[in-house]
Amino acid sequence: MVGAAYAAGLPVDEIERLFTSVRIRDLFRPVWAKDGLLDNGPLARSVERMIGPMEMSQLRIPFAAMATDAETGEGVVLQSGRLSDALQASTAIPCLVRPVDQGGRRLIDGGVLHKVPVRLARSMGADLVIAVDLSLPLAWLGRVRNPVAVLMQVIEMMDQRLVRQELQEADMVIQPTVDCGSFQFRRAREQVESGEAAARRALPQLQERLAAWLGPVGVAAD
């Protein structure tokens, strides 16, 4: 959702203001269904309220969302159609959030196959890929207090090996300190500050990478 807002051209301060005010009721509603405990229809409506009823072709910066076909296990790259529909499909956490029906497919979270889709970014034309690792530390994962937290813990543990493999393909990696769960929205501001601090620490490395990538720059004068 944050990436989509940035690609839509929202100022960074506005993105921070919007997303630090998000609560779980803005994204999910509880349901009694055999394929999930939550429905993320509210997320689609929140996206349209915050970003607008946009088509992905209208975004200022190329953007893609990853989803997974729940029946075939194939990765599905969403780059066209309604932005809110793409984000709804790509955030349907397996077992927890109901799959989303789109284009004759039942779609779930793309993180099942590609938590950090570096190759997708390169295929879209990125010359320099900067990945952000938001994996939870294993020490934090041990502090589970309810069945949903246990489920998220298991998913996170399964994800971490996949994440490490994908991060190796990035040109550089930024690793903020992550010490809260996926649904602790009230702690969003401190996590923003953690991300800012990690980005500042990474700036010297980024400058080196850019200099190596751009090569020597000549100066001409009349």
Side-chain angles (χ1 to χ4, degrees):
M1 290 175 68
V2 174
Y6 185 77
L10 270 66
V12 173
D13 290 345
E14 177 68 4
I15 294 173
E16 182 176 345
R17 186 189 69 78
L18 288 171
F19 286 99
T20 52
S21 66
V22 167
R23 296 294 178 263
I24 194 167
R25 63 178 177 273
D26 299 315
L27 307 179
F28 306 106
R29 65 181 181 89
V31 293
W32 295 100
K34 61 182 180 181
D35 55 359
L37 303 174
L38 300 171
D39 177 271
N40 64 353
L43 180 147
R45 293 189 289 274
S46 293
V47 167
E48 300 212 343
R49 185 178 68 253
M50 293 188 290
I51 303 175
M54 301 184 70
E55 297 291 314
M56 297 182 77
S57 60
Q58 296 176 294
L59 297 173
R60 297 185 182 183
I61 299 172
F63 174 80
M66 280 297 305
T68 304
D69 189 312
E71 296 178 355
T72 67
E74 295 176 324
V76 180
V77 179
L78 302 172
Q79 290 182 277
S80 61
R82 197 81 157 187
L83 177 63
S84 57
D85 290 343
L87 295 181
Q88 186 180 3
S90 70
T91 55
I93 303 168
C95 302
L96 191 60
V97 181
R98 299 186 68 190
V100 176
D101 294 322
Q102 288 185 18
R105 289 181 161 185
R106 289 177 61 75
L107 302 178
I108 56 175
D109 189 350
V112 171
L113 296 177
H114 300 289
K115 189 83 168 181
V116 189
V118 174
R119 292 182 184 178
L120 173 58
R122 291 199 192 282
S123 73
M124 294 172 64
D127 296 304
L128 182 70
V129 177
I130 303 169
V132 182
D133 180 12
L134 297 177
S135 302
L136 285 166
L138 291 177
W140 191 94
L141 290 174
R143 303 198 300 267
V144 295
R145 298 181 177 86
N146 57 66
V148 172
V150 171
L151 178 59
M152 294 303 295
Q153 176 188 20
V154 171
I155 293 173
E156 187 70 29
M157 286 180 172
M158 293 170 63
D159 283 345
Q160 288 201 7
R161 178 174 295 181
L162 177 62
V163 168
R164 286 194 296 268
Q165 292 173 346
E166 292 187 312
L167 290 176
Q168 291 175 359
E169 300 184 30
D171 295 295
M172 65 174 290
V173 179
I174 297 177
Q175 294 179 298
T177 300
V178 181
D179 64 349
C180 71
S182 301
F183 294 107
Q184 292 181 286
F185 301 112
R186 295 183 184 277
R187 298 184 60 192
R189 189 168 298 281
E190 63 186 273
Q191 295 302 307
V192 168
E193 293 170 357
S194 174
E196 290 175 347
R200 291 191 189 98
R201 291 193 299 269
L203 276 177
Q205 181 189 1
L206 176 58
Q207 290 169 339
E208 290 179 7
R209 291 279 185 173
L210 285 173
W213 176 58
L214 292 171
V217 179
V219 177
D222 292 334

